[in-house]
Amino acid sequence: MSKIIRTAAKEPFKPEPDDDLIICRCEEVTKGEIRRAVHGGFRTTNEVKRWLRCGMGLCQGQTCQRNFQNIIAKEAGISVKDLGMISGRSPARPVMIDVFANEVIDAEKDPEGK
Amino acid sequence: MIGAGPAGLSAAVEAAEAGMRVAVFDENAGPGGQLFKQIHKFFGSRDQNAMIRGFQIGRNLLARAEAAGVEVFLNAPVMGIYKNHEVLVKIEDESVHFKGDNIIIAAGAAEVMVPFCGWDLPGVMGAGAAQTLMNRHGVLPGRKVLLVGSGNVGLIVGLQLLQAGCELVAVLDAAPRVGGYGVHAAKIARTGVPFLTSTTILEAKGDGKVEKAVIRKVDSRFQVIPGTERELDVDTILMAVGLSPMTQLASCAGCDVEYSDQTGRLSCITVTDEFCETTVAGIYCCGDFRMETAEGASSAILQGQIAASHIAEQAGYITGEECGARIAKCQETLRQMSGGMFSVKNKGRVDPTETDEGYPISRSLLERGYIAEEELQNYPAASYEAEGVHPVIECVQNIPCNPCRDMCARKCILVNGDITNIPLVDQTKKCVGCGLCVANCPGQSIFLIDKTSIPDYAAVSIPYEFLPLPEEGQKGTGLDRSGAPVCDALVMSVKTSPAMDKTAVLTMKVPLKYADSVRFFKAEGGAE
Ligand SMILES: Cc1cc2nc3c(=O)[nH]c(=O)nc-3n(C[C@H](O)[C@H](O)[C@H](O)COP(=O)(O)OP(=O)(O)OC[C@H]3O[C@@H](n4cnc5c(N)ncnc54)[C@H](O)[C@@H]3O)c2cc1C
């Protein structure tokens, strides 16, 4: 695994004309929000993801991961290679909550929990 | 096996034929992965399915998998992979747990999207998504389309958009050259679609949907050149700017996932060894999921075979010797397929000057998507002249493809040595004008020309894959390689046969002096 580098933003935050551009479509996170997060101290892929929820929607970061990493990398002046990756989490695909929730072990019928 | 595309199915066949018990899960309702929307004839090696339409390759694989006793679960998305090779699958409305001694992840790749102003408007989508709409669901993705990205995926979808009846307004590429095979670009260019290289998309405009695209020129360092904006009237913008492996499942399973530039540019991949095994023992990955390769389905199939052979050997189903021999064979084919001008090692080389044979590179093909007439003389098969009907082969780049060689019963066509070599015409053999080479060249780059049978006129035969098929005696216009009208043309014959597999060979009569210019037919008044 390549190592993760935490770097602060190079320069103070300056608004940019396209800060309202949506980067993560599923969770509607904008470029400006991601830039501000970096300036606010969130520096790795997973830190920004947990703070803003980009990459936590339907596509699970398949579409937006690289795009929001590019923004973090540019603000911090480092390569996307050094930001770490979104940790893949189940469910990898959208699934109705009842499909998950119905998965209960009936202790009476199945005492060993098979 | 996760994924029933070419990688997953071929791995399943290999493992099942070795005697292993195999289950395949796919979230789609139909098996075949990308193959089931590929309606075109595949390029590649004759031993590797070339010339067969993609969906047919998928059907063949599926039939083999079923015959080998593979259990295929459809509508079965894999939601997660956990410790001890536990796989969680949604089947009907239940979460079902499976355990495998080995797991192969062959879940394919997803399309890369680049954000630009207005990219979230309805009407902006991946080119592959548009292809799914057209070819799987029979839905037109739009009417006036701008295609961004001229790699092979973009070029192939571009032709299929035209076949489906869309207007293709332009094909853009930020690079100074067309990214995919010249033969695929030429099919689009000769219908009149412009290629705009060194150009990028700046903005999608519209009220609630795409109505206009703003494009702009870029310099050699991909910086936009101010003052070069242009607006195009389009209702659809398709992005074909690359694929990115769907690494989530591998990450979920604890496999190392990282950025790598192994494929010539930075992409997110799962770390694997030469046998496609990840950093978690017993979990393998192959196909587009492993990395995007120029060889596509062939490479996916071969990687699937390598992974499955390795697993079969590790589990004692085949001997080390057998396994070694199978893997060596796959690797040799992969080596051959990955040569040529579009190989990973040549990808960064923006300006090759010569082909492997020492012919000058066609600059026009790279920059505009078609060969300029004055360049034809550089290539023996593209400028071949003979008495009566004879082939002219406008395939002038080193790409891994050779079905033309085997199509000709008279052995007129040679692809000597490596599969990436440019085809030649054997002057000692006499063409009989059957047209099988024309119909079956996946690049649609072979034409039959006859300059001597009709006084003052020439007969030009072209591959034709549009409906309605023109009829004998129909009048129209002969278009040149750039799609510009050149002269009147009269349809002499339209040949179809099972061996031509739905590519018609249209022969038209044009004035002799245009024999080397006309390469497409546009029916009078009607759609092409
Ligand atoms: C427009 C276009 C043209 C092409 N033309 C050619 C060509 O001419 N020649 C050529 O050789 N190649 C071509 N290719 C490339 C070729 O189609 C791919 O390389 C090949 O299909 C990759 O195979 P695969 O098995 O790795 O992945 P895929 O075919 O993508 O299959 C992956 C499968 O996994 C399933 N899946 C994904 N995630 C999950 C999950 N969580 N649970 C369950 N199932 C899942 C998907 O539904 C899919 O069915 C083309 C591709 C495109 C897009």
Side-chain angles (χ1 to χ4, degrees):
Chain A
M1 267 292 212
S2 47
K3 68 170 184 299
I4 298 173
I5 304 176
R6 295 188 83 248
T7 319
K10 279 180 308 181
E11 284 164 26
F13 182 83
K14 268 197 292 301
E16 286 181 10
D18 59 349
D19 272 342
D20 59 352
L21 187 67
I22 289 197
I23 301 297
C24 166
R25 292 186 298 199
C26 308
E27 296 290 321
E28 304 193 341
V29 181
T30 65
K31 179 179 169 190
E33 287 174 296
I34 296 163
R35 292 181 58 237
R36 278 187 194 280
V38 179
H39 288 268
F42 301 93
R43 289 163 191 174
T44 67
T45 305
N46 277 319
E47 284 171 13
V48 173
K49 164 184 135 175
R50 285 176 195 142
W51 182 241
L52 294 173
R53 291 195 54 85
C54 43
M56 289 172 82
L58 277 181
C59 87
Q60 289 289 292
Q62 181 63 45
T63 304
C64 63
Q65 167 165 246
R66 178 65 182 276
N67 294 331
F68 80 75
Q69 284 176 327
N70 282 342
I71 296 169
I72 305 173
K74 192 168 169 220
E75 280 323 287
I78 59 174
S79 160
V80 289
K81 281 184 179 175
D82 302 323
L83 294 171
M85 293 293 181
I86 287 184
S87 322
R89 291 284 183 254
S90 175
R93 280 288 179 274
V95 53
M96 303 289 278
I97 192 68
D98 66 345
V99 175
F100 253 174
N102 277 340
E103 196 195 28
V104 287
I105 294 159
D106 189 330
E108 265 171 34
K109 283 192 210 143
D110 181 14
E112 281 153 68
K114 280 177 194 150
Chain B
M1 218 72 71
I2 303 169
L9 285 178
S10 73
V13 170
E14 193 80 13
E17 285 176 356
M20 305 186 81
R21 193 167 157 219
V22 185
V24 181
F25 303 103
D26 198 297
E27 63 181 332
N28 277 321
Q34 296 295 317
L35 288 178
F36 272 89
K37 59 181 189 182
Q38 307 301 351
I39 56 170
H40 58 285
K41 294 180 179 171
F42 271 40
F43 61 85
S45 154
R46 269 291 258 153
D47 326 319
Q48 289 291 327
N49 299 308
M51 220 180 77
I52 304 178
R53 294 189 191 271
F55 66 89
Q56 191 60 51
I57 301 175
R59 281 184 193 162
N60 297 349
L61 270 173
L62 185 66
R64 279 187 62 198
E66 275 166 359
V70 172
E71 222 178 323
V72 182
F73 294 83
L74 298 173
N75 295 311
V78 171
M79 297 188 286
I81 304 177
Y82 304 92
K83 282 215 175 91
N84 304 321
H85 298 181
E86 182 159 346
V87 178
L88 178 64
V89 191
K90 175 179 169 280
I91 296 177
E92 313 230 303
D93 271 335
E94 274 185 62
S95 300
V96 188
H97 295 254
F98 289 84
K99 268 191 178 182
D101 292 324
N102 295 278
I103 298 172
I104 300 182
I105 314 175
E111 304 194 86
V112 169
M113 280 283 153
V114 287
F116 53 87
C117 194
W119 77 298
D120 50 343
L121 277 177
V124 181
M125 66 181 116
Q131 197 188 32
T132 306
L133 279 178
M134 292 189 290
N135 299 349
R136 274 192 100 129
H137 303 293
V139 173
L140 215 54
R143 303 210 175 268
K144 289 171 78 95
V145 184
L146 172 68
L147 191 59
V148 180
S150 66
N152 279 335
V153 170
L155 297 177
I156 287 167
V157 173
L159 179 71
Q160 293 173 2
L161 288 164
L162 295 169
Q163 291 172 327
C166 301
E167 181 188 343
L168 188 52
V169 176
V171 182
L172 300 193
D173 208 302
R177 58 177 234 182
V178 174
Y181 297 170
V183 287
H184 291 325
K187 293 179 215 172
I188 301 179
R190 61 181 173 249
T191 71
V193 175
F195 279 81
L196 308 176
T197 47
S198 298
T199 305
T200 188
I201 174 116
L202 205 62
E203 187 178 352
K205 284 187 179 171
D207 184 11
K209 59 179 197 298
V210 173
E211 287 163 3
K212 278 186 173 22
V214 185
I215 60 170
R216 184 143 79 161
K217 284 270 182 204
V218 294
D219 63 20
S220 56
R221 284 171 300 114
F222 298 102
Q223 300 303 309
V224 288
I225 306 174
T228 56
E229 290 85 17
R230 258 176 73 190
E231 276 193 2
L232 303 175
D233 277 333
V234 296
D235 58 23
T236 307
I237 299 173
L238 300 184
M239 306 299 292
V241 293
L243 300 172
S244 138
M246 302 217 275
T247 47
Q248 297 110 316
L249 282 177
S251 164
C252 196
C255 311
D256 282 357
V257 171
E258 64 180 31
Y259 277 111
S260 146
D261 43 22
Q262 262 171 282
T263 55
R265 68 157 176 220
L266 208 59
S267 60
C268 174
I269 61 151
T270 305
V271 179
T272 48
D273 65 12
E274 62 193 305
F275 306 118
C276 305
E277 190 165 5
T278 67
T279 52
V280 176
I283 300 187
Y284 293 69
C285 69
C286 48
D288 283 1
F289 185 91
R290 187 164 178 241
M291 67 182 69
E292 185 194 355
T293 62
E295 312 85 51
S298 304
S299 162
I301 289 173
L302 291 162
Q303 285 181 27
Q305 288 167 350
I306 290 174
S309 302
H310 192 247
I311 289 173
E313 192 250 352
Q314 298 286 301
Y317 285 80
I318 58 174
T319 64
E321 215 173 309
E322 251 180 290
C323 171
R326 286 187 198 181
I327 290 178
K329 199 170 150 227
C330 294
Q331 278 165 343
E332 171 54 19
T333 317
L334 276 173
R335 187 198 63 76
Q336 279 219 15
M337 297 284 297
S338 62
M341 179 167 161
F342 293 85
S343 66
V344 170
K345 72 177 191 322
N346 284 338
K347 239 192 175 164
R349 210 176 68 174
V350 177
D351 260 325
T353 52
E354 279 185 353
T355 69
D356 292 347
E357 293 82 356
Y359 309 140
I361 291 282
S362 164
R363 302 290 330 161
S364 175
L365 190 55
L366 284 180
E367 284 154 25
R368 289 185 289 263
Y370 59 89
I371 309 173
E373 218 168 302
E374 60 276 13
E375 291 173 328
L376 291 171
Q377 55 173 18
N378 296 332
Y379 314 102
S383 53
Y384 180 63
E385 299 272 0
E387 179 79 18
V389 63
H390 61 276
V392 163
I393 310 178
E394 301 188 3
C395 172
V396 302
Q397 294 174 331
N398 296 115
I399 58 171
C401 190
N402 67 6
C404 53
R405 187 187 64 188
D406 302 310
M407 270 337 287
C408 182
R410 299 279 168 143
K411 301 269 168 267
C412 290
I413 302 176
L414 307 167
V415 179
N416 294 326
D418 274 354
I419 183 169
T420 47
N421 287 343
I422 293 174
L424 293 169
V425 181
D426 183 343
Q427 313 201 4
T428 64
K429 304 279 162 53
K430 177 77 188 98
C431 169
V432 292
C434 72
L436 280 182
C437 58
V438 177
N440 285 307
C441 165
Q444 300 188 3
S445 69
I446 308 182
F447 305 89
L448 296 181
I449 311 292
D450 183 345
K451 296 183 181 178
T452 50
S453 299
I454 326 167
D456 301 326
Y457 283 90
V460 175
S461 304
I462 62 167
Y464 196 89
E465 277 192 349
F466 295 89
L467 291 172
L469 275 186
E471 280 164 21
E472 193 183 322
Q474 196 168 334
K475 284 186 194 142
T477 310
L479 308 185
D480 71 8
R481 294 174 185 79
S482 74
V486 173
C487 60
D488 289 343
L490 179 80
V491 178
M492 295 167 64
S493 67
V494 180
K495 259 198 245 177
T496 56
S497 77
M500 292 179 178
D501 189 14
K502 296 194 164 63
T503 313
V505 175
L506 181 151
T507 303
M508 56 186 154
K509 188 172 122 179
V510 299
L512 185 57
K513 64 176 171 185
Y514 298 122
D516 297 332
S517 315
V518 172
R519 288 297 177 268
F520 197 64
F521 175 79
K522 192 174 177 195
E524 206 142 73
E528 354 179 295

